[in-house]
Amino acid sequence: MRVAIIAVFTDYHRRGAHHRGAMQPQIGPLIAALLPDWCDVDIINDTWEDPDWSKTYDLVFLSCLHADFDRARQISHYFRRRGALTVLGGGMASDYPQLCRPYFDAVAVGDPERTVPRIVNDARRRQLQPLYRSLDGSPDDAPVPRIGPVAHKQLFPLAVEASRGCPYTCDFCVLTERGQGHRPRQVASVVRDIVAGREALRLAGITGWKQRMLVLYDNNLAGNLKWFRELCHALKKLDVLWGACLTFNVIANRELLKLMYDCGCRSVFVGLETFNPAALADMCKPQNNIGKIEQAIAQTRDEGILPIAGLMVSAVHDDPAYIRSLPARLKASGLHVPSFLSFETPFPGTPLFQRMVSDPRPLFLPHANLYDFSSYTLVLRPQKSSLPDFIDAYRDTLGQVHAPSNRLAKLADDLPRLLRRGSWTAAALDVGDMLSAGVRPAPGRTYTAGTDPLPPERVPFAADDFSSEAQRLDICSPTPVTDEDGRVLDAWLPARQQRVRTDNLHAMKVAV
């Protein structure tokens, strides 16, 4: 059986460019390891390269986030017309399977370990079910990922998932809505995957230093501190240099930073999110402490670990003056350049989305499509200023924080601290990060839902790929989320909210 595994990607900067950065999707190697030997498998990271449109498959697995859904259903239609059965998994499939169902032969909800084996066996018999839900299980059920086939398409190919989920319940996070908490794997299972991964890289001819550079692809590696300390000691024995995503409380703990450096940690990503106390409280993110940001960043660098962090601006709580103050705040904090400066976005299904929908005011911008929910296009109406003033402040600030002079200032501040600790790897990562930082805006960017340019990615459909004009429009038109007044369409609401909205409209008509 010929099988493709496609991690779907839409460039959120609207340039249609592939993203060949350090972080690449890892769902392909995991699904490939779950497939039986009788499958001939292609792993395709759409972030790195387009699928080979000349190939045909018997079965195509696709995984996507919400903003990538339009491209996912178009890729699905393309390969279905050429004889493939298609299956969608990932965040969009788990959150809105009923909206995905018309465009795929099957939709998989939840972790792949409990769905993929059933799917491939049913597909072999051409008896796919429309919906597969993950059964109860443990993250330790995961097999050793097959990283060898994509080893030459990763800057850091030694990539492992040590845990899933997060113990925190941030309002904007898709993990909060799924409510699974933090699920660490047995440390022995993580060690097994690292050892097997290094051997796969050796066999693939990957250069020696890359066999030692480990990326841990967890949402929050330190969601359980007792387990995290045990993992650190195990990583020390493996003699790897590693980076991971974790939360602010970790970098605020100097003793923990010392342990991490001693066990090979050289870089961490932390979601700082905001310097605005009102916005932070609204995000339900108690693990962050704005008053300790400068101290936490300083001690992380002094302990030889490169801190990388992202920021968001809030349409609800931030005004143009605050947004324009960010370059100075970033300099004072010691971060200087965030890895991203995005909009706080109510992804469909999250607590933030439900809260914005429940407000009687239309808080969303009109004609917002699903591809706008990427964090880099504003989908909410600014509450503290006019829309033009808010966007102007964002655009100006974005240019300032990623300016070459600001990146040089960051290196001038970081490198002496890192090198004083003897952390040459962290220093090299910092230089590489600053050389690649900053994005030139695509022509026509408004950063505003309803007016931002369409994503330029295209699927090369043939003239006979559609049975009618109606089908072509159904497959190729954007997926709408809000109407002309900025109200969220009923399809995105839980049944209870749909009933309340219907009752309210009925009451209004009776009153009139």
Side-chain angles (χ1 to χ4, degrees):
M1 177 182 284
R2 293 164 299 175
V3 179
I5 307 166
I6 305 175
V8 180
F9 174 72
T10 305
D11 179 17
Y12 32 72
H13 296 300
R14 302 290 168 91
R15 300 164 304 171
H18 290 293
H19 172 68
R20 296 193 169 182
M23 302 294 284
Q24 294 289 321
Q26 297 303 306
I27 190 63
L30 176 57
I31 291 180
L34 292 165
L35 297 175
D37 291 341
W38 42 262
C39 291
D40 179 14
V41 182
D42 284 345
I43 301 173
I44 302 149
N45 279 353
D46 198 26
T47 51
W48 192 272
E49 60 189 355
D50 279 359
D52 185 341
W53 305 112
S54 68
K55 288 191 174 184
T56 58
Y57 298 99
D58 301 300
L59 178 63
V60 176
F61 289 95
L62 300 108
S63 178
C64 76
L65 302 176
H66 297 72
D68 308 315
F69 177 64
D70 286 345
R71 180 162 171 82
R73 62 196 177 98
Q74 290 163 19
I75 294 174
S76 171
H77 184 79
Y78 180 90
F79 285 112
R80 288 175 89 182
R81 292 288 290 186
R82 287 152 182 81
L85 296 172
T86 66
V87 181
L88 181 70
M92 180 63 185
S94 290
D95 294 342
Y96 289 94
Q98 75 281 7
L99 297 184
C100 302
R101 178 67 190 87
Y103 304 101
F104 305 86
D105 293 290
V107 175
V109 175
D111 293 337
E113 291 85 2
R114 269 73 66 187
T115 56
V116 168
R118 288 184 285 151
I119 290 168
V120 71
N121 282 304
D122 288 352
R124 193 183 196 187
R125 300 191 300 268
R126 305 296 289 190
Q127 293 179 357
L128 271 183
Q129 303 300 308
L131 182 68
Y132 293 82
R133 289 190 181 275
S134 178
L135 306 175
D136 291 339
S138 163
D140 284 304
D141 296 337
V144 176
R146 289 181 55 192
I147 65 174
V150 295
H152 292 279
K153 299 176 182 178
Q154 305 252 31
L155 294 180
F156 301 114
L158 185 58
V160 170
E161 183 184 50
S163 67
R164 291 179 183 168
C166 181
Y168 297 106
T169 55
C170 302
D171 204 42
F172 56 80
C173 184
V174 296
L175 297 177
T176 300
E177 185 269 336
R178 294 168 198 158
Q180 295 180 311
H182 185 249
R183 297 174 292 154
R185 300 172 62 202
Q186 294 292 324
V187 170
S189 296
V190 180
V191 170
R192 175 204 67 182
D193 288 0
I194 296 170
V195 172
R198 295 177 82 166
E199 177 62 12
L201 297 184
R202 186 188 68 80
L203 294 174
I206 299 299
T207 186
W209 68 268
K210 286 192 175 184
Q211 297 176 30
R212 194 171 173 231
M213 297 292 292
L214 170 68
V215 179
L216 292 154
Y217 271 75
D218 300 58
N219 299 111
N220 177 7
L221 184 66
N224 179 318
L225 291 180
K226 180 181 178 181
W227 171 86
F228 177 61
R229 288 186 175 92
E230 181 185 351
L231 177 66
C232 285
H233 289 297
L235 294 175
K236 181 177 182 179
K237 293 177 183 178
L238 294 175
D239 191 30
V240 290
L241 300 175
W242 53 274
C245 299
L246 36 75
T247 41
F248 180 84
N249 57 298
V250 176
I251 67 168
N253 183 332
R254 188 148 198 166
E255 292 307 309
L256 197 52
L257 289 170
K258 291 179 182 291
L259 170 66
M260 291 161 58
Y261 181 83
D262 184 55
C263 296
C265 182
R266 294 298 180 266
S267 178
V268 294
F269 174 86
V270 177
L272 290 184
E273 320 305 7
T274 183
F275 293 97
N276 183 341
L280 185 64
D282 201 42
M283 292 173 184
C284 301
K285 203 173 177 78
Q287 64 270 32
N288 283 24
N289 186 325
I290 293 172
K292 292 185 177 180
I293 290 178
E294 181 180 356
Q295 175 188 338
I297 290 175
Q299 67 189 24
T300 303
R301 293 181 297 174
D302 289 341
E303 293 301 333
I305 298 172
L306 173 66
I308 302 172
L311 286 182
M312 300 187 292
V313 294
S314 166
V316 176
H317 294 284
D318 295 339
D319 58 21
Y322 166 80
I323 296 172
R324 293 183 185 279
S325 75
L326 286 176
R329 293 175 187 266
L330 285 162
K331 179 180 180 181
S333 74
L335 184 63
H336 294 279
V337 181
S339 61
F340 60 77
L341 178 60
S342 67
F343 301 106
E344 184 187 15
T345 300
F347 299 106
T350 59
L352 177 59
F353 181 82
Q354 303 300 349
R355 187 155 54 89
M356 296 296 101
V357 168
S358 298
D359 195 292
R361 300 168 296 169
L363 296 182
F364 289 83
L365 289 168
H367 300 297
N369 293 309
L370 190 54
Y371 58 64
D372 292 320
F373 287 74
S374 66
S375 296
Y376 293 87
T377 295
L378 184 67
V379 298
L380 291 174
R381 302 175 191 266
Q383 300 298 302
K384 302 288 186 179
S385 75
S386 69
L387 177 60
D389 287 349
F390 189 90
I391 292 297
D392 284 348
Y394 174 78
R395 190 191 302 272
D396 292 346
T397 301
L398 194 65
Q400 287 184 52
V401 297
H402 289 296
S405 58
N406 204 36
R407 286 182 266 167
L408 287 172
K410 173 177 167 55
L411 292 175
D413 193 11
D414 284 351
L415 296 184
R417 293 171 178 264
L418 296 171
L419 295 177
R420 191 178 305 127
R421 186 67 172 81
S423 189
W424 291 91
T425 299
L429 291 171
D430 199 9
V431 172
D433 193 30
M434 288 302 98
L435 287 174
S436 61
V439 175
R440 182 175 298 177
R445 282 301 308 260
T446 67
Y447 299 103
T448 304
T451 61
D452 232 1
L454 293 172
E457 287 85 359
R458 293 292 178 266
V459 174
F461 290 117
D464 60 352
D465 274 332
F466 304 100
S467 59
S468 65
E469 179 62 12
Q471 185 187 53
R472 188 189 69 80
L473 289 173
D474 181 42
I475 298 296
C476 296
S477 297
T479 301
V481 178
T482 67
D483 63 15
E484 66 276 5
D485 298 317
R487 296 194 180 277
V488 171
L489 301 174
D490 282 351
W492 299 98
L493 305 180
R496 178 183 58 81
Q497 284 184 295
Q498 292 186 32
R499 289 194 298 271
V500 170
R501 177 177 285 186
T502 300
D503 292 344
N504 289 342
L505 289 174
H506 179 71
M508 291 171 62
K509 290 178 181 178
V510 170
V512 172

